[in-house]
Amino acid sequence: MKSGRMILLGACAILGGATASQLMAHGDVTPQAVDTAGLPEIGQDWLEKNPYSGNDRAIEIGQSAYGQNCARCHGLDAESGGIAPDLRYLELGESGDQWFMERYRHGSSHDGKVYMPPFGDVLGQKAGWAIRAWLETKHEG
Ligand code: HEC
């Protein structure tokens, strides 16, 4: 009996710890690094148009980068649950590219609140265009 209780308490402590760290991981907005190995070089200057549109490797990298950095707000598989805009409906083509990059690089803050953190400096240009290349494959509307 006594040892049974100890095991139960131990299990609770482990579960409690896991829950706490899962909650922290969810609230934590630290961007997850993206491995862009294998993508063509595109230089230092920020481009206006997606150089990776239709590139299979970019689409694959973009899907995982999206899952790690964007899905918690924009929804799994780009289907928004309503917290943030549904990115499947972003315009295709160059004006859509520019708007995508504006938000990706600078995020969105108003009334003293951060609605979306900036990603440009932390994840870099290649990862951004890779995410955009994947989103293009999910386009609707
Ligand atoms: C903390 C939540 C959050 C995360 C994480 C996040 N976003 Fe956002 N995003 C938002 C919100 C909220 C808006 C709407 C902002 C506004 O209207 O001011 C937005 C807007 C956008 C827009 C403009 C959409 C439109 O229809 O105007 C794009 C593009 C975008 N996000 C891309 C991304 C990408 C790519 C990532 C991952 C690298 C990402 N976001 C991560 C919350 C987030």
Side-chain angles (χ1 to χ4, degrees):
M1 181 66 202
K2 202 177 173 203
S3 65
R5 267 190 73 163
M6 287 302 289
I7 289 164
L8 203 62
L9 281 173
C12 284
I14 290 163
L15 277 175
T19 310
S21 66
Q22 266 161 16
L23 282 175
M24 275 171 63
H26 194 254
D28 182 358
V29 290
T30 308
Q32 299 299 304
V34 176
D35 179 5
T36 56
L39 289 180
E41 286 306 324
I42 50 178
Q44 295 292 313
D45 294 341
W46 289 85
L47 304 174
E48 304 253 287
K49 188 174 179 302
N50 191 356
Y52 297 150
S53 194
N55 178 311
D56 288 342
R57 177 81 186 123
I59 291 168
E60 192 185 320
I61 290 171
Q63 177 169 21
S64 110
Y66 174 93
Q68 295 202 50
N69 292 289
C70 323
R72 68 171 171 270
C73 295
H74 289 283
L76 283 177
D77 213 34
E79 277 178 47
S80 171
I83 317 172
D86 193 310
L87 300 181
R88 293 173 302 167
Y89 295 91
L90 271 185
E91 209 178 311
L92 293 176
E94 203 166 329
S95 67
D97 284 354
Q98 284 165 13
W99 179 235
F100 172 87
M101 265 306 170
E102 164 68 26
R103 281 290 183 241
Y104 175 79
R105 290 178 69 183
H106 308 295
S108 175
S109 306
H110 33 106
D111 313 321
K113 274 199 278 184
V114 176
Y115 287 82
M116 171 173 159
F119 288 93
D121 289 343
V122 269
L123 298 184
Q125 176 169 214
K126 284 175 159 180
W129 288 127
I131 293 170
R132 170 71 173 159
W134 175 71
L135 282 171
E136 287 167 12
T137 71
K138 294 275 147 190
H139 181 74
E140 301 247 346

